[in-house]
Amino acid sequence: MQLSVNGRRREVAYPDEMLVWVLRDELGLTGTHYGCGIGACGSCTVLLDGQVARACLTPARAAAGREVTTVEGLARGEQLHPVQRAFLENPLQCGWCLPGHLMSAAALLERTPSPTDAQIEEAAGVNLCRCGGYNAIRRAVARAAELKREDG
């Protein structure tokens, strides 16, 4: 089976495995983290056709015919995505939750370029942060919106 991951067609040998394991173990894309295995923490968040999805709950087969975007696919060449740049300015303590927050923020900014504080809170609230870095996360998402607008 083939998947489209970060704009590239990739051959997948184990389509019945959860997407998180196919990405990490089969394709070597370790930016997608495994946290809880029940979709509660969000560290495994990827985008399927631009929509937030939990890779620990999604069989790889369910991603066939769709575009999978991982944290590795946010950057365009040497240019980091505004979300990546903003989180570098507002670092978190351990970073385990970071991929999920980056992907959720990227999806939010794609559909809402100038999110309100409430919209940022709602988007960030679906991912857990073990270190309690929610204020830094909210600041980073707001900063990413500014950077995205500046980039045009």
Side-chain angles (χ1 to χ4, degrees), residues 85-107:
R85 296 190 335 252
F87 273 86
L88 285 171
E89 292 176 13
N90 295 277
L92 300 180
Q93 187 170 336
C94 82
W96 189 256
C97 65
L98 192 55
H101 283 290
L102 288 167
M103 300 312 291
S104 294

Side-chain angles (χ1 to χ4, degrees), residues 1-57:
M1 182 183 86
Q2 286 193 341
L3 292 179
S4 179
V5 181
N6 299 331
R8 292 182 50 213
R9 301 293 295 161
R10 305 289 298 266
E11 197 66 37
V12 172
Y14 302 102
D16 294 321
E17 286 289 330
M18 289 299 149
L19 186 58
V20 66
W21 300 124
V22 169
L23 293 170
R24 291 182 61 79
D25 298 342
E26 203 172 328
L27 302 181
L29 298 171
T30 58
T32 302
H33 291 170
Y34 178 81
C36 67
I38 60 171
C41 74
S43 66
C44 68
T45 301
V46 297
L47 303 181
L48 289 179
D49 293 334
Q51 300 298 311
V52 170
R54 299 292 201 239
C56 74
L57 297 178

